[in-house]
Amino acid sequence: MGEKYILSLDIGTSTIRSVIYNTRTEIVGKAVDQVTLHYPSPGFVEIDPDELWKSVVGVVNKSLQNANLSANQITAMGISTQRSTFITWSQDTGKPFHRFITWKDLRADELVKQWNDSYTWKFIKVSAYVLFMISRSKRFRAGSVFKFSNNQTTLRLYWALLNVPALKSAIENNDAMFGTLDTWLLYKMTGNKVHMTDVSSASATGFFDPYTMQWAGWAMAIFGIPMEALPEVVDTAGEHFTSTAPDIWGHAIPIRSCIADQTASMWGSCCFNPGDVKLTMGTGTFLNIHTGASPHTSLTGLYPVVGWRMGEELVYSAEGANNDTASIIKWAQNLGLFDNPQETADIAMSVPDSDGVFFIPAFSGLGPPYNDCTAASGFVGMKASTTRAHLVRAVLESLAFRTSQLYTCIRTETNYQFDTVRLDGGVSNNDFLSQLVADLTGLTVERPVQVEMSSLGCAHIVGLQLGIFTSKEQLKSLRKVDKLFTPRAHVKKAYEPIIEKWEDAVKRMCGWYNDNRTTQSNTQNNLKVKLKKQGKSK
């Protein structure tokens, strides 16, 4: 019997990766392309579907060439994608009604604020709490503290329903199809044959109920989302994904798994047991804990998502997120603070501290424990003595501070005993940041040889489906760790007053845009009144 090969296609926010693995999870071929993001208006972050499809086809071809293989030699493929990025298209023609609206997009920001502050939503939350008091159901407890956010799909889809005329018309004619990126990709790859999403991607939209494992009826009713436009929600792995159309890569490739990127990285990090924790530091920071067979009900803003469902195995994850990580590193690079991100660790360590300078990483608002989409980013405390190295150190420290806060939320809300966190994502290659995370959390940070875990996670799942791998224990034995970062208690102690001041700076930036809008609106109204009075006096 010849060697078997698994192709993993991973589409993140910044990059598209196609990686081919052998039966020992060794990489035999790979290719990478960049995701082109479009910013047509302030706050709008889009992906052109035609550009994306061209890149997907091309990156797979390049990985096959790199491995010196043809499509017919690929045993099967798995797909992982960024979550909550969505598109709508015509069932009749397959033509999209708009570009992908990404999870980083802020066009629905006003809708988010309006709905969170609305009497309707407050009534629903109070009603959910009453039902919780009567039934003690965790589902209603979760509903009583639920807040809309920009990175969920719900209100961005509602915005599209209100503002895209072609979509409105298609809904009236029962011609509209909705899908997150994975859904659209499966639709394209199978020659328009399947309209599916797996449970992990569905649960991240904000209108899929992880307690009932169904699309949430309340969202359909409130926002007018047509059920018939939604994809079928299926298991994370299996033959239901069928195969790619033969004309795309010259031969049909069986698709055996489709999973959201963050839970794919849990597979890559071998987080198979309740209490296992992984930390992804990519475009954003995502701290996920395996919570077993029931969703976690959070009071601080941790999000309960479905990790995966494969037959009888249903696994949930509690997630804390900070949406800006690699995006902030890239911004700082564009600002001229450094030439290469690989330099940042040495630059940060070239000074003993940040000289009292703090940075708030909130380009997309702040997640738990703040849960404030109106927070602003910025440097605080700059002075004449501030140097470039101080600014770089402040940026990196802020990412570690936010990670420590997410970990505190998880530690407060769960009863698991933690000693290790498994790291992945491009930013995790930064030694200064990885060590500081270890120091502040008190956890041993484990960084693998290959830090892109979503691709490897897909290979793990597909391999188990095909019998290439016999068990999760075998996958653990194949895991390769590059470096361990051991926590230093004296460093954590030294940072306590620094973090206290940083948290004070964060509080000053919370509600920034909301307050500014209010102040600006009041100023404009006062000016109008003043001018009106002047006009009357004349």
Side-chain angles (χ1 to χ4, degrees):
M1 182 181 293
E3 178 70 275
K4 294 184 178 180
Y5 299 101
I6 299 169
L7 188 151
S8 290
L9 179 64
D10 177 32
I11 303 178
T13 309
S14 307
T15 58
I16 305 171
R17 290 182 176 85
S18 180
V19 184
I20 301 173
Y21 298 89
N22 62 19
T23 55
R24 296 173 297 283
T25 67
E26 297 168 338
I27 296 175
V28 298
K30 64 179 179 179
V32 180
D33 198 3
Q34 299 300 306
V35 175
T36 302
L37 297 175
H38 296 271
Y39 306 90
S41 299
F44 286 43
V45 188
E46 301 178 344
I47 299 172
D48 184 274
D50 293 331
E51 292 176 355
L52 182 67
W53 178 245
K54 183 178 179 181
S55 293
V56 166
V57 173
V59 80
V60 171
N61 278 327
K62 289 175 184 176
S63 68
L64 290 169
Q65 292 169 8
N66 183 246
N68 197 27
L69 296 171
S70 58
N72 65 344
Q73 292 175 279
I74 300 299
T75 309
M77 73 182 297
I79 302 167
S80 74
T81 64
Q82 57 179 282
R83 304 167 302 174
S84 295
T85 292
F86 77 93
I87 195 169
T88 60
W89 67 95
S90 167
Q91 183 176 353
D92 290 340
T93 67
K95 184 178 179 181
F97 298 122
H98 51 83
R99 288 172 171 168
F100 281 101
I101 300 176
T102 74
W103 66 279
K104 299 276 288 179
D105 191 283
L106 299 176
R107 72 185 66 199
D109 189 46
E110 285 302 316
L111 288 173
V112 168
K113 295 189 189 76
Q114 290 170 14
W115 273 95
N116 282 332
D117 293 336
S118 69
Y119 290 114
T120 299
W121 192 245
K122 289 177 181 177
F123 174 76
I124 290 173
K125 290 170 69 174
V126 169
S127 300
Y129 185 74
V130 171
L131 290 172
F132 163 70
M133 295 299 293
I134 296 171
S135 67
R136 311 308 294 182
S137 167
K138 290 184 177 180
R139 180 190 177 205
F140 293 122
R141 185 69 180 108
S144 70
V145 296
F146 181 83
K147 290 179 68 175
F148 294 105
S149 64
N150 284 300
N151 59 351
Q152 297 164 357
T153 308
T154 313
L155 289 179
R156 284 181 286 116
L157 175 57
Y158 184 50
W159 182 95
L161 295 173
L162 294 174
N163 292 280
V164 181
L167 176 58
K168 288 182 184 179
S169 176
I171 289 173
E172 293 172 359
N173 296 317
N174 198 27
D175 182 41
M177 299 181 78
F178 160 86
T180 44
L181 197 151
D182 62 306
T183 304
W184 176 85
L185 198 61
L186 289 168
Y187 181 79
K188 291 282 288 184
M189 283 185 171
T190 60
N192 303 355
K193 290 182 180 178
V194 302
H195 185 213
M196 295 177 177
T197 187
D198 100 294
V199 290
S200 65
S201 291
S203 71
T205 61
F207 58 91
F208 181 86
D209 190 334
Y211 294 86
T212 64
M213 295 298 290
Q214 296 177 340
W215 293 115
W218 61 264
M220 310 297 108
I222 293 176
F223 299 113
I225 301 172
M227 186 68 76
E228 56 274 14
L230 301 181
E232 177 187 1
V233 181
V234 298
D235 280 7
T236 304
E239 296 183 2
H240 44 265
F241 296 117
T242 69
S243 300
T244 65
D247 61 328
I248 301 175
W249 290 293
H251 192 279
I253 303 174
I255 305 171
R256 289 296 174 264
S257 178
C258 195
I259 187 171
D261 54 2
Q262 294 311 315
T263 40
S265 72
M266 291 182 71
W267 268 85
S269 299
C270 296
C271 292
F272 299 138
N273 301 315
D276 284 349
V277 182
K278 70 86 183 167
L279 173 64
T280 299
M281 303 189 81
T283 301
T285 293
F286 299 91
L287 187 64
N288 291 79
I289 174 173
H290 186 309
T291 59
S294 60
H296 174 72
T297 301
S298 173
L299 301 180
T300 63
L302 298 178
Y303 200 73
V305 294
V306 180
W308 58 85
R309 186 179 68 191
M310 301 180 195
E312 296 299 316
E313 183 186 27
L314 175 60
V315 169
Y316 290 89
S317 167
E319 179 176 284
N322 195 51
N323 293 335
D324 299 299
T325 303
S327 53
I328 282 178
I329 301 292
K330 184 65 177 176
W331 165 81
Q333 182 180 8
N334 292 338
L335 204 63
L337 293 182
F338 48 85
D339 295 325
N340 191 320
Q342 295 177 355
E343 304 169 352
T344 56
D346 289 337
I347 293 173
M349 288 186 283
S350 70
V351 289
D353 53 48
S354 66
D355 193 33
V357 177
F358 302 110
F359 182 73
I360 292 80
F363 286 141
S364 302
L366 291 171
Y370 303 102
N371 302 306
D372 185 356
C373 61
T374 66
S377 288
F379 286 103
V380 175
M382 289 194 295
K383 52 186 79 72
S385 59
T386 300
T387 67
R388 177 177 68 106
H390 293 134
L391 297 179
V392 171
R393 185 173 179 120
V395 168
L396 295 184
E397 285 181 338
S398 74
L399 301 178
F401 295 166
R402 284 292 294 127
T403 300
S404 178
Q405 287 184 324
L406 296 177
Y407 173 65
T408 298
C409 292
I410 283 180
R411 190 183 59 194
T412 301
E413 291 198 359
T414 64
N415 297 319
Y416 298 106
Q417 297 296 318
F418 305 107
D419 53 29
T420 302
V421 61
R422 298 166 190 175
L423 200 58
D424 71 288
V427 180
S428 69
N429 282 316
N430 189 295
D431 284 359
F432 174 83
L433 184 53
S434 296
Q435 181 61 59
L436 189 53
V437 167
D439 295 333
L440 299 182
T441 61
L443 299 173
T444 297
V445 171
E446 185 182 283
R447 188 171 68 194
V449 173
Q450 296 291 335
V451 297
E452 301 301 340
M453 286 290 103
S454 295
S455 298
L456 182 58
C458 279
H460 283 171
I461 295 171
V462 173
L464 278 178
Q465 287 287 306
L466 299 174
I468 294 174
F469 308 127
T470 57
S471 67
K472 293 175 182 175
E473 291 303 315
Q474 182 190 5
L475 296 177
K476 290 180 183 179
S477 71
L478 294 170
R479 179 170 166 76
K480 299 177 180 67
V481 176
D482 174 52
K483 192 171 183 178
L484 294 177
F485 297 88
T486 305
R488 301 169 296 181
H490 70 280
V491 174
K492 181 177 182 179
K493 185 70 175 176
Y495 263 99
E496 286 177 358
I498 297 172
I499 292 175
E500 185 177 350
K501 289 184 178 180
W502 175 80
E503 289 178 340
D504 180 60
V506 173
K507 290 175 184 176
R508 294 169 185 264
M509 303 298 264
C510 285
W512 180 272
Y513 292 112
N514 191 43
D515 292 344
N516 275 5
R517 286 194 187 100
T518 302
T519 302
Q520 184 181 32
S521 177
N522 289 340
T523 301
Q524 290 174 342
N525 288 335
N526 291 338
L527 181 60
K528 289 178 182 178
V529 171
K530 186 176 180 179
L531 291 173
K532 189 173 182 180
K533 287 180 179 179
Q534 289 176 347
K536 285 183 177 180
S537 65
K538 290 179 180 179

